[in-house]
């Protein structure tokens, strides 16, 4: 298996492709472990780096309020977190991974408007120089993309053919 992206070619089979993709799903998988392990997925990263990316995902302040900070426990499926907090962990996780391909599925769906505006700038940083596939209904996020298609009745149409994002 080989995949060409802006940064070069990835040809290490499925494992190589999996390492090359950062995913921010609409309903992220959260594990019964610490905040740190959920953000890094067990990979070795410094607390400084993790804090940098959780800052961008607007999650550091939440972690700092907990008694054990980034070593605080998260319950299975993140039931002790709000939907927005789970989404922020997923965004921080993708930022830490720093993969050349980023897939975003309604990345701010669980966030309020203020948080979405803050995270929008982080998403812009996350996608610089990367191949990005984003599914969203949020106009502010669509504006980050170079090419936008509208899916209507099983057909894709360039948004410019429909009069642009404002149409």
């Amino acid at each position: 298996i080989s995949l060409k992206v802006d940064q070069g070619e990835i040809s290490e089979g499925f494992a190589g492709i999996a390492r090359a993709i950062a995913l921010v799903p609409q309903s992220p998988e959260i594990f019964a472990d610490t905040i740190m392990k959920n953000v890094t997925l067990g990979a070795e990263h410094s607390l400084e780096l993790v804090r940098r990316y959780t800052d961008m995902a607007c999650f550091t302040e939440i972690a700092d309020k907990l008694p054990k900070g980034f070593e605080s426990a998260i319950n299975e499926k993140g039931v002790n977190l709000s939907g927005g907090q789970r989404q922020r962990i997923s965004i921080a996780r993708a930022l830490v991974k720093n993969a050349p391909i980023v897939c975003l599925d309604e990345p701010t769906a669980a966030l309020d408007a203020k948080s979405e505006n803050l995270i929008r700038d982080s998403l812009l940083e996350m996608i610089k120089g990367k191949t990005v596939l984003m599914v969203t209904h949020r106009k502010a996020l669509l504006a980050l993309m170079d090419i936008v298609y509208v899916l209507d009745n099983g057909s894709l149409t360039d948004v410019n053919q429909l009069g642009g994002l404002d149409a």
Side-chain angles (χ1 to χ4, degrees):
I1 294 173
S2 182
L3 181 66
K4 288 192 181 274
V5 294
D6 291 343
Q7 292 75 26
E9 187 171 328
I10 300 161
S11 57
E12 303 170 30
F14 288 114
I17 291 173
R19 281 191 300 275
I21 299 172
L23 174 65
V24 179
Q26 186 172 357
S27 299
E29 187 66 43
I30 304 294
F31 305 98
D33 212 321
T34 65
I35 290 170
M36 184 75 160
K37 291 278 176 83
N38 267 280
V39 172
T40 64
L41 293 178
E44 291 296 321
H45 293 287
S46 69
L47 180 58
E48 179 184 2
L49 178 84
V50 171
R51 288 183 70 83
R52 177 175 161 221
Y53 291 127
T54 56
D55 278 348
M56 292 173 73
C58 302
F59 191 80
T60 304
E61 187 176 314
I62 295 162
D64 285 346
K65 289 181 181 176
L66 298 171
K68 293 183 180 178
F70 282 85
E71 292 305 314
S72 296
I74 296 177
N75 295 340
E76 187 72 31
K77 299 191 184 293
V79 295
N80 56 332
L81 301 173
S82 72
Q85 290 169 336
R86 289 189 296 269
Q87 199 75 24
R88 290 171 190 180
I89 286 175
S90 182
I91 291 168
R93 185 183 287 163
L95 286 163
V96 166
K97 189 168 184 181
N98 194 26
I101 302 169
V102 180
C103 295
L104 305 158
D105 180 15
E106 297 287 359
T108 60
L111 302 177
D112 58 63
K114 180 181 174 188
S115 296
E116 180 179 353
N117 287 334
L118 292 172
I119 288 177
R120 180 186 177 278
D121 294 335
S122 300
L123 291 174
L124 182 59
E125 183 67 27
M126 180 196 304
I127 65 176
K128 276 186 186 170
K130 301 190 180 190
T131 301
V132 180
L133 174 65
M134 181 176 0
V135 176
T136 187
H137 294 87
R138 309 283 178 122
K139 186 174 166 186
L141 295 179
L142 290 172
L144 299 175
M145 300 292 103
D146 294 328
I147 302 169
V148 176
Y149 288 97
V150 175
L151 179 62
D152 185 31
N153 291 324
S155 294
L156 289 175
T157 305
D158 187 315
V159 74
N160 293 321
Q161 293 177 349
L162 302 171
L165 286 179
D166 290 325

